Amino acid sequence: VALDVRPSGSLLAISAAVDHVLMSSLRQVGDVILVHDESAVERRWSSYGLSTVIGCDVVTERGTYIGRVRDYEFDPDDGLVQRIVVDALGLPIVPEGVVSTYALDVSEILSAGLDRIILVEGAESRVEQLSVSLLQRLQLAAPPWEDDLATYADYYAMDMQQQQQQQQQ
């Protein structure tokens, strides 16, 4: 298990080189991540064919739109993801004061694909709010699952119904 490390400001760069640090090389995790020495950093040009969860849509099994993955929290001892952090945009470069952020425990995840994570029904009631946007403070915005996003819910509900029909055939 490894962490991908990108140079500062390269989140939008398509061909930016990514360095990898093995979890076993971590010395301390806090506001910064410390390693024993620079030999812990391995330069590679690919992420081993794995896809990223950042930006994936998050919906419940009934199609309720929760948001998009912005970040995730992991246990530094074993490298397992503990929670996913979502917002309306799924862009980590947007400051938390601009968008409200929410955390969900990974035990809520029913399945995950290349572009979507599906949560168990009712997961929206167990979301922990991490930050409140200015628009939400002024009561001009609501969490995505409370907002008028019927088009998202209809789209995902229809997609889930089609998948269930295919499985029954």
Side-chain angles (χ1 to χ4, degrees):
V1 178
L3 296 175
D4 287 351
V5 182
R6 297 180 190 276
S8 179
S10 69
L11 286 174
L12 298 177
I14 294 172
S15 63
V18 176
D19 294 331
H20 301 279
V21 177
L22 296 175
M23 296 294 288
S24 58
S25 300
L26 298 182
R27 188 175 81 190
Q28 183 179 353
V29 177
D31 291 340
V32 296
I33 296 175
L34 299 178
V35 295
H36 295 287
D37 58 42
E38 64 185 51
S39 67
V41 178
E42 299 178 25
R43 170 148 275 163
R44 300 226 174 88
W45 293 99
S46 72
S47 291
Y48 309 102
L50 300 175
S51 64
T52 180
V53 298
I54 304 297
C56 283
D57 287 340
V58 180
V59 297
T60 66
E61 57 188 323
R62 287 200 183 237
T64 303
Y65 182 75
I66 302 297
R68 288 196 173 144
V69 178
R70 170 192 181 88
D71 200 358
Y72 50 91
E73 299 173 3
F74 65 93
D75 183 341
D77 294 330
D78 58 16
L80 295 175
V81 174
Q82 301 294 312
R83 300 191 316 170
I84 57 172
V85 179
V86 299
D87 65 22
L89 304 174
L91 299 172
I93 58 173
V94 177
E96 288 186 5
V98 175
V99 292
S100 297
T101 58
Y102 310 90
L104 288 149
D105 192 88
V106 293
S107 64
E108 302 286 349
I109 297 175
L110 188 62
S111 68
L114 293 176
D115 60 351
R116 184 180 323 154
I117 294 174
I118 300 174
L119 307 175
V120 296
E121 186 56 37
E124 65 272 18
S125 65
R126 294 180 292 279
V127 170
E128 176 188 349
Q129 186 157 10
L130 301 177
S131 68
V132 180
S133 70
L134 178 61
L135 290 176
Q136 192 174 4
R137 286 178 197 206
L138 296 172
Q139 298 181 346
L140 297 173
W145 59 93
E146 293 176 3
D147 211 350
D148 185 21
L149 292 173
T151 55
Y152 287 111
D154 291 346
Y155 168 77
Y156 288 115
M158 256 184 7
D159 194 33
M160 290 300 294
Q161 288 172 354
Q162 289 173 352
Q163 286 180 8
Q164 289 172 351
Q165 287 173 354
Q166 288 174 355
Q167 289 175 352
Q168 291 173 352
Q169 294 175 350

mmCIF file of all heavy atoms in Angstrom, residues 1 3 23 29-30 33 53-54 69-86 96 101-107 109 117 128-131:
data_model
loop_
_atom_site.group_PDB
_atom_site.id
_atom_site.type_symbol
_atom_site.label_atom_id
_atom_site.label_comp_id
_atom_site.label_asym_id
_atom_site.label_seq_id
_atom_site.Cartn_x
_atom_site.Cartn_y
_atom_site.Cartn_z
ATOM 1 N N VAL A 1 0.853 -1.172 0.000
ATOM 2 C CA VAL A 1 0.000 0.000 0.000
ATOM 3 C C VAL A 1 0.896 1.231 0.000
ATOM 4 O O VAL A 1 1.865 1.299 0.752
ATOM 5 C CB VAL A 1 -0.927 0.021 1.231
ATOM 6 C CG1 VAL A 1 -1.778 1.252 1.246
ATOM 7 C CG2 VAL A 1 -1.791 -1.225 1.260
ATOM 8 N N LEU A 3 1.151 5.773 -0.822
ATOM 9 C CA LEU A 3 0.534 7.081 -1.012
ATOM 10 C C LEU A 3 1.057 7.669 -2.307
ATOM 11 O O LEU A 3 2.243 7.537 -2.607
ATOM 12 C CB LEU A 3 0.926 8.033 0.120
ATOM 13 C CG LEU A 3 0.475 7.714 1.522
ATOM 14 C CD1 LEU A 3 1.087 8.721 2.494
ATOM 15 C CD2 LEU A 3 -1.025 7.769 1.615
ATOM 16 N N MET A 23 3.519 2.809 2.656
ATOM 17 C CA MET A 23 3.007 3.041 4.008
ATOM 18 C C MET A 23 4.017 2.595 5.065
ATOM 19 O O MET A 23 4.116 3.198 6.119
ATOM 20 C CB MET A 23 1.681 2.294 4.205
ATOM 21 C CG MET A 23 0.557 2.770 3.318
ATOM 22 S SD MET A 23 0.036 4.446 3.663
ATOM 23 C CE MET A 23 -0.789 4.215 5.210
ATOM 24 N N VAL A 29 2.464 10.786 10.907
ATOM 25 C CA VAL A 29 1.378 11.351 10.114
ATOM 26 C C VAL A 29 0.661 12.369 10.976
ATOM 27 O O VAL A 29 0.277 12.085 12.093
ATOM 28 C CB VAL A 29 0.391 10.255 9.649
ATOM 29 C CG1 VAL A 29 -0.775 10.873 8.899
ATOM 30 C CG2 VAL A 29 1.106 9.230 8.794
ATOM 31 N N GLY A 30 0.495 13.566 10.453
ATOM 32 C CA GLY A 30 -0.195 14.648 11.160
ATOM 33 C C GLY A 30 -0.534 15.712 10.136
ATOM 34 O O GLY A 30 -1.069 15.413 9.080
ATOM 35 N N ILE A 33 3.300 14.646 6.484
ATOM 36 C CA ILE A 33 3.684 13.233 6.538
ATOM 37 C C ILE A 33 5.200 13.174 6.517
ATOM 38 O O ILE A 33 5.832 13.713 5.605
ATOM 39 C CB ILE A 33 3.081 12.454 5.358
ATOM 40 C CG1 ILE A 33 1.561 12.470 5.451
ATOM 41 C CG2 ILE A 33 3.626 11.032 5.313
ATOM 42 C CD1 ILE A 33 0.865 11.844 4.279
ATOM 43 N N VAL A 53 -10.592 7.664 -6.766
ATOM 44 C CA VAL A 53 -11.977 7.856 -6.330
ATOM 45 C C VAL A 53 -12.352 9.330 -6.261
ATOM 46 O O VAL A 53 -13.530 9.659 -6.168
ATOM 47 C CB VAL A 53 -12.247 7.195 -4.956
ATOM 48 C CG1 VAL A 53 -12.045 5.704 -5.038
ATOM 49 C CG2 VAL A 53 -11.399 7.796 -3.869
ATOM 50 N N ILE A 54 -11.360 10.215 -6.316
ATOM 51 C CA ILE A 54 -11.637 11.648 -6.259
ATOM 52 C C ILE A 54 -12.478 12.035 -7.474
ATOM 53 O O ILE A 54 -12.150 11.716 -8.599
ATOM 54 C CB ILE A 54 -10.330 12.473 -6.226
ATOM 55 C CG1 ILE A 54 -9.434 12.043 -5.063
ATOM 56 C CG2 ILE A 54 -10.628 13.970 -6.182
ATOM 57 C CD1 ILE A 54 -10.025 12.255 -3.690
ATOM 58 N N VAL A 69 -16.849 12.590 -4.396
ATOM 59 C CA VAL A 69 -15.718 12.373 -3.491
ATOM 60 C C VAL A 69 -14.711 13.504 -3.668
ATOM 61 O O VAL A 69 -14.266 13.791 -4.768
ATOM 62 C CB VAL A 69 -15.038 11.013 -3.740
ATOM 63 C CG1 VAL A 69 -13.837 10.844 -2.819
ATOM 64 C CG2 VAL A 69 -16.028 9.875 -3.545
ATOM 65 N N ARG A 70 -14.371 14.124 -2.561
ATOM 66 C CA ARG A 70 -13.397 15.210 -2.523
ATOM 67 C C ARG A 70 -12.064 14.723 -1.967
ATOM 68 O O ARG A 70 -11.005 15.167 -2.355
ATOM 69 C CB ARG A 70 -13.966 16.313 -1.638
ATOM 70 C CG ARG A 70 -13.033 17.411 -1.282
ATOM 71 C CD ARG A 70 -13.620 18.283 -0.174
ATOM 72 N NE ARG A 70 -12.719 19.349 0.154
ATOM 73 C CZ ARG A 70 -12.703 20.526 -0.459
ATOM 74 N NH1 ARG A 70 -13.561 20.785 -1.425
ATOM 75 N NH2 ARG A 70 -11.842 21.446 -0.105
ATOM 76 N N ASP A 71 -12.149 13.791 -1.030
ATOM 77 C CA ASP A 71 -10.959 13.322 -0.326
ATOM 78 C C ASP A 71 -11.313 12.023 0.383
ATOM 79 O O ASP A 71 -12.461 11.583 0.349
ATOM 80 C CB ASP A 71 -10.525 14.377 0.697
ATOM 81 C CG ASP A 71 -9.071 14.251 1.140
ATOM 82 O OD1 ASP A 71 -8.386 13.305 0.686
ATOM 83 O OD2 ASP A 71 -8.624 15.076 1.940
ATOM 84 N N TYR A 72 -10.366 11.431 1.038
ATOM 85 C CA TYR A 72 -10.621 10.266 1.870
ATOM 86 C C TYR A 72 -9.642 10.260 3.025
ATOM 87 O O TYR A 72 -8.578 10.885 2.966
ATOM 88 C CB TYR A 72 -10.564 8.950 1.086
ATOM 89 C CG TYR A 72 -9.325 8.791 0.234
ATOM 90 C CD1 TYR A 72 -8.185 8.184 0.738
ATOM 91 C CD2 TYR A 72 -9.307 9.245 -1.071
ATOM 92 C CE1 TYR A 72 -7.056 8.042 -0.035
ATOM 93 C CE2 TYR A 72 -8.177 9.105 -1.848
ATOM 94 C CZ TYR A 72 -7.054 8.501 -1.328
ATOM 95 O OH TYR A 72 -5.940 8.368 -2.098
ATOM 96 N N GLU A 73 -10.027 9.622 4.096
ATOM 97 C CA GLU A 73 -9.191 9.515 5.290
ATOM 98 C C GLU A 73 -8.808 8.058 5.456
ATOM 99 O O GLU A 73 -9.625 7.170 5.256
ATOM 100 C CB GLU A 73 -9.956 9.996 6.515
ATOM 101 C CG GLU A 73 -10.380 11.441 6.431
ATOM 102 C CD GLU A 73 -11.295 11.865 7.568
ATOM 103 O OE1 GLU A 73 -11.564 11.048 8.484
ATOM 104 O OE2 GLU A 73 -11.754 13.013 7.535
ATOM 105 N N PHE A 74 -7.551 7.822 5.797
ATOM 106 C CA PHE A 74 -7.092 6.451 5.954
ATOM 107 C C PHE A 74 -6.398 6.275 7.293
ATOM 108 O O PHE A 74 -5.982 7.240 7.933
ATOM 109 C CB PHE A 74 -6.145 6.059 4.816
ATOM 110 C CG PHE A 74 -4.858 6.843 4.811
ATOM 111 C CD1 PHE A 74 -3.732 6.366 5.456
ATOM 112 C CD2 PHE A 74 -4.777 8.055 4.157
ATOM 113 C CE1 PHE A 74 -2.555 7.088 5.464
ATOM 114 C CE2 PHE A 74 -3.597 8.790 4.157
ATOM 115 C CZ PHE A 74 -2.485 8.301 4.815
ATOM 116 N N ASP A 75 -6.278 5.046 7.719
ATOM 117 C CA ASP A 75 -5.571 4.695 8.947
ATOM 118 C C ASP A 75 -4.096 4.533 8.584
ATOM 119 O O ASP A 75 -3.753 3.651 7.794
ATOM 120 C CB ASP A 75 -6.132 3.390 9.511
ATOM 121 C CG ASP A 75 -5.496 2.993 10.832
ATOM 122 O OD1 ASP A 75 -4.403 3.486 11.151
ATOM 123 O OD2 ASP A 75 -6.104 2.176 11.543
ATOM 124 N N PRO A 76 -3.208 5.356 9.133
ATOM 125 C CA PRO A 76 -1.794 5.264 8.759
ATOM 126 C C PRO A 76 -1.133 3.965 9.206
ATOM 127 O O PRO A 76 -0.098 3.586 8.670
ATOM 128 C CB PRO A 76 -1.159 6.476 9.446
ATOM 129 C CG PRO A 76 -2.109 6.894 10.494
ATOM 130 C CD PRO A 76 -3.469 6.435 10.061
ATOM 131 N N ASP A 77 -1.731 3.257 10.150
ATOM 132 C CA ASP A 77 -1.133 2.003 10.603
ATOM 133 C C ASP A 77 -1.287 0.878 9.592
ATOM 134 O O ASP A 77 -0.378 0.084 9.389
ATOM 135 C CB ASP A 77 -1.731 1.572 11.951
ATOM 136 C CG ASP A 77 -1.372 2.529 13.072
ATOM 137 O OD1 ASP A 77 -0.281 3.144 12.998
ATOM 138 O OD2 ASP A 77 -2.190 2.680 13.989
ATOM 139 N N ASP A 78 -2.454 0.795 8.939
ATOM 140 C CA ASP A 78 -2.660 -0.306 8.004
ATOM 141 C C ASP A 78 -2.965 0.151 6.575
ATOM 142 O O ASP A 78 -3.052 -0.670 5.664
ATOM 143 C CB ASP A 78 -3.766 -1.236 8.496
ATOM 144 C CG ASP A 78 -5.099 -0.540 8.703
ATOM 145 O OD1 ASP A 78 -5.294 0.585 8.198
ATOM 146 O OD2 ASP A 78 -5.961 -1.130 9.382
ATOM 147 N N GLY A 79 -3.153 1.468 6.373
ATOM 148 C CA GLY A 79 -3.398 1.988 5.037
ATOM 149 C C GLY A 79 -4.826 1.840 4.553
ATOM 150 O O GLY A 79 -5.135 2.218 3.430
ATOM 151 N N LEU A 80 -5.727 1.306 5.380
ATOM 152 C CA LEU A 80 -7.113 1.122 4.966
ATOM 153 C C LEU A 80 -7.874 2.445 5.018
ATOM 154 O O LEU A 80 -7.726 3.223 5.961
ATOM 155 C CB LEU A 80 -7.808 0.096 5.855
ATOM 156 C CG LEU A 80 -7.274 -1.328 5.781
ATOM 157 C CD1 LEU A 80 -7.974 -2.211 6.805
ATOM 158 C CD2 LEU A 80 -7.451 -1.893 4.378
ATOM 159 N N VAL A 81 -8.690 2.683 4.015
ATOM 160 C CA VAL A 81 -9.520 3.891 3.978
ATOM 161 C C VAL A 81 -10.594 3.748 5.044
ATOM 162 O O VAL A 81 -11.275 2.724 5.132
ATOM 163 C CB VAL A 81 -10.135 4.087 2.580
ATOM 164 C CG1 VAL A 81 -11.103 5.261 2.585
ATOM 165 C CG2 VAL A 81 -9.049 4.295 1.534
ATOM 166 N N GLN A 82 -10.747 4.779 5.871
ATOM 167 C CA GLN A 82 -11.730 4.774 6.953
ATOM 168 C C GLN A 82 -13.006 5.525 6.579
ATOM 169 O O GLN A 82 -14.099 5.076 6.890
ATOM 170 C CB GLN A 82 -11.138 5.412 8.220
ATOM 171 C CG GLN A 82 -9.892 4.712 8.725
ATOM 172 C CD GLN A 82 -10.198 3.314 9.205
ATOM 173 O OE1 GLN A 82 -11.131 3.101 9.960
ATOM 174 N NE2 GLN A 82 -9.421 2.352 8.752
ATOM 175 N N ARG A 83 -12.830 6.695 5.931
ATOM 176 C CA ARG A 83 -13.981 7.522 5.565
ATOM 177 C C ARG A 83 -13.716 8.172 4.215
ATOM 178 O O ARG A 83 -12.575 8.411 3.851
ATOM 179 C CB ARG A 83 -14.216 8.640 6.586
ATOM 180 C CG ARG A 83 -14.474 8.149 7.968
ATOM 181 C CD ARG A 83 -14.961 9.184 8.952
ATOM 182 N NE ARG A 83 -14.296 10.471 8.960
ATOM 183 C CZ ARG A 83 -14.745 11.523 9.636
ATOM 184 N NH1 ARG A 83 -15.850 11.429 10.352
ATOM 185 N NH2 ARG A 83 -14.100 12.658 9.624
ATOM 186 N N ILE A 84 -14.806 8.457 3.495
ATOM 187 C CA ILE A 84 -14.693 9.279 2.301
ATOM 188 C C ILE A 84 -15.282 10.645 2.628
ATOM 189 O O ILE A 84 -16.215 10.753 3.424
ATOM 190 C CB ILE A 84 -15.385 8.649 1.075
ATOM 191 C CG1 ILE A 84 -16.859 8.369 1.335
ATOM 192 C CG2 ILE A 84 -14.650 7.393 0.629
ATOM 193 C CD1 ILE A 84 -17.632 7.936 0.094
ATOM 194 N N VAL A 85 -14.712 11.667 2.044
ATOM 195 C CA VAL A 85 -15.170 13.042 2.246
ATOM 196 C C VAL A 85 -15.784 13.500 0.929
ATOM 197 O O VAL A 85 -15.163 13.373 -0.133
ATOM 198 C CB VAL A 85 -14.004 13.964 2.661
ATOM 199 C CG1 VAL A 85 -14.489 15.400 2.833
ATOM 200 C CG2 VAL A 85 -13.356 13.456 3.944
ATOM 201 N N VAL A 86 -17.016 13.997 0.996
ATOM 202 C CA VAL A 86 -17.735 14.412 -0.209
ATOM 203 C C VAL A 86 -18.138 15.876 -0.114
ATOM 204 O O VAL A 86 -18.222 16.447 0.977
ATOM 205 C CB VAL A 86 -18.993 13.540 -0.461
ATOM 206 C CG1 VAL A 86 -18.617 12.084 -0.653
ATOM 207 C CG2 VAL A 86 -20.007 13.683 0.642
ATOM 208 N N GLU A 96 -12.629 24.603 1.529
ATOM 209 C CA GLU A 96 -13.783 24.110 2.285
ATOM 210 C C GLU A 96 -14.767 25.209 2.646
ATOM 211 O O GLU A 96 -15.928 24.930 2.870
ATOM 212 C CB GLU A 96 -13.319 23.367 3.536
ATOM 213 C CG GLU A 96 -12.708 22.029 3.232
ATOM 214 C CD GLU A 96 -12.375 21.242 4.480
ATOM 215 O OE1 GLU A 96 -12.693 21.693 5.592
ATOM 216 O OE2 GLU A 96 -11.788 20.166 4.325
ATOM 217 N N THR A 101 -18.614 20.368 3.270
ATOM 218 C CA THR A 101 -18.035 19.030 3.139
ATOM 219 C C THR A 101 -18.651 18.094 4.163
ATOM 220 O O THR A 101 -19.073 18.516 5.241
ATOM 221 C CB THR A 101 -16.503 19.057 3.321
ATOM 222 O OG1 THR A 101 -16.192 19.605 4.597
ATOM 223 C CG2 THR A 101 -15.837 19.886 2.237
ATOM 224 N N TYR A 102 -18.708 16.799 3.795
ATOM 225 C CA TYR A 102 -19.354 15.781 4.614
ATOM 226 C C TYR A 102 -18.497 14.522 4.600
ATOM 227 O O TYR A 102 -17.816 14.238 3.614
ATOM 228 C CB TYR A 102 -20.742 15.450 4.049
ATOM 229 C CG TYR A 102 -21.578 16.678 3.784
ATOM 230 C CD1 TYR A 102 -21.544 17.317 2.550
ATOM 231 C CD2 TYR A 102 -22.379 17.214 4.780
ATOM 232 C CE1 TYR A 102 -22.290 18.456 2.313
ATOM 233 C CE2 TYR A 102 -23.134 18.349 4.545
ATOM 234 C CZ TYR A 102 -23.086 18.969 3.311
ATOM 235 O OH TYR A 102 -23.821 20.099 3.086
ATOM 236 N N ALA A 103 -18.541 13.743 5.679
ATOM 237 C CA ALA A 103 -17.781 12.499 5.765
ATOM 238 C C ALA A 103 -18.728 11.324 5.933
ATOM 239 O O ALA A 103 -19.748 11.425 6.613
ATOM 240 C CB ALA A 103 -16.808 12.545 6.939
ATOM 241 N N LEU A 104 -18.369 10.219 5.296
ATOM 242 C CA LEU A 104 -19.130 8.973 5.382
ATOM 243 C C LEU A 104 -18.173 7.843 5.706
ATOM 244 O O LEU A 104 -17.102 7.732 5.109
ATOM 245 C CB LEU A 104 -19.799 8.664 4.046
ATOM 246 C CG LEU A 104 -20.960 9.549 3.672
ATOM 247 C CD1 LEU A 104 -21.064 9.703 2.184
ATOM 248 C CD2 LEU A 104 -22.220 8.931 4.227
ATOM 249 N N ASP A 105 -18.557 6.978 6.620
ATOM 250 C CA ASP A 105 -17.756 5.815 6.960
ATOM 251 C C ASP A 105 -17.789 4.831 5.794
ATOM 252 O O ASP A 105 -18.817 4.682 5.138
ATOM 253 C CB ASP A 105 -18.321 5.162 8.224
ATOM 254 C CG ASP A 105 -17.385 4.133 8.784
ATOM 255 O OD1 ASP A 105 -16.504 4.513 9.588
ATOM 256 O OD2 ASP A 105 -17.532 2.953 8.420
ATOM 257 N N VAL A 106 -16.672 4.151 5.535
ATOM 258 C CA VAL A 106 -16.629 3.219 4.410
ATOM 259 C C VAL A 106 -17.568 2.027 4.607
ATOM 260 O O VAL A 106 -17.902 1.347 3.638
ATOM 261 C CB VAL A 106 -15.193 2.717 4.116
ATOM 262 C CG1 VAL A 106 -14.318 3.851 3.622
ATOM 263 C CG2 VAL A 106 -14.587 2.039 5.303
ATOM 264 N N SER A 107 -18.025 1.793 5.821
ATOM 265 C CA SER A 107 -18.984 0.693 6.047
ATOM 266 C C SER A 107 -20.321 0.984 5.361
ATOM 267 O O SER A 107 -21.134 0.080 5.181
ATOM 268 C CB SER A 107 -19.201 0.459 7.540
ATOM 269 O OG SER A 107 -19.804 1.592 8.138
ATOM 270 N N ILE A 109 -20.524 1.903 2.261
ATOM 271 C CA ILE A 109 -20.351 1.633 0.832
ATOM 272 C C ILE A 109 -20.857 0.235 0.496
ATOM 273 O O ILE A 109 -20.421 -0.751 1.074
ATOM 274 C CB ILE A 109 -18.879 1.798 0.413
ATOM 275 C CG1 ILE A 109 -18.440 3.252 0.620
ATOM 276 C CG2 ILE A 109 -18.681 1.368 -1.044
ATOM 277 C CD1 ILE A 109 -16.970 3.504 0.356
ATOM 278 N N ILE A 117 -19.843 5.590 -6.614
ATOM 279 C CA ILE A 117 -19.838 4.805 -5.383
ATOM 280 C C ILE A 117 -21.280 4.736 -4.901
ATOM 281 O O ILE A 117 -21.957 5.759 -4.804
ATOM 282 C CB ILE A 117 -18.934 5.453 -4.316
ATOM 283 C CG1 ILE A 117 -17.481 5.417 -4.784
ATOM 284 C CG2 ILE A 117 -19.088 4.758 -2.963
ATOM 285 C CD1 ILE A 117 -16.522 6.154 -3.883
ATOM 286 N N GLU A 128 -21.681 12.879 8.416
ATOM 287 C CA GLU A 128 -21.147 13.855 9.370
ATOM 288 C C GLU A 128 -20.719 15.096 8.594
ATOM 289 O O GLU A 128 -19.928 15.010 7.657
ATOM 290 C CB GLU A 128 -19.938 13.277 10.105
ATOM 291 C CG GLU A 128 -19.269 14.268 11.035
ATOM 292 C CD GLU A 128 -17.959 13.757 11.615
ATOM 293 O OE1 GLU A 128 -17.652 12.566 11.470
ATOM 294 O OE2 GLU A 128 -17.238 14.582 12.208
ATOM 295 N N GLN A 129 -21.246 16.253 8.966
ATOM 296 C CA GLN A 129 -20.861 17.489 8.287
ATOM 297 C C GLN A 129 -19.539 17.976 8.859
ATOM 298 O O GLN A 129 -19.393 18.146 10.068
ATOM 299 C CB GLN A 129 -21.936 18.562 8.433
ATOM 300 C CG GLN A 129 -21.611 19.791 7.619
ATOM 301 C CD GLN A 129 -22.825 20.628 7.287
ATOM 302 O OE1 GLN A 129 -23.906 20.414 7.809
ATOM 303 N NE2 GLN A 129 -22.637 21.573 6.382
ATOM 304 N N LEU A 130 -18.553 18.219 7.973
ATOM 305 C CA LEU A 130 -17.225 18.657 8.386
ATOM 306 C C LEU A 130 -17.061 20.171 8.291
ATOM 307 O O LEU A 130 -16.387 20.766 9.124
ATOM 308 C CB LEU A 130 -16.148 17.970 7.534
ATOM 309 C CG LEU A 130 -16.121 16.450 7.572
ATOM 310 C CD1 LEU A 130 -15.059 15.922 6.619
ATOM 311 C CD2 LEU A 130 -15.879 15.947 8.983
ATOM 312 N N SER A 131 -17.630 20.777 7.259
ATOM 313 C CA SER A 131 -17.536 22.225 7.096
ATOM 314 C C SER A 131 -18.835 22.749 6.507
ATOM 315 O O SER A 131 -19.568 22.019 5.848
ATOM 316 C CB SER A 131 -16.351 22.604 6.194
ATOM 317 O OG SER A 131 -16.591 22.192 4.865
#
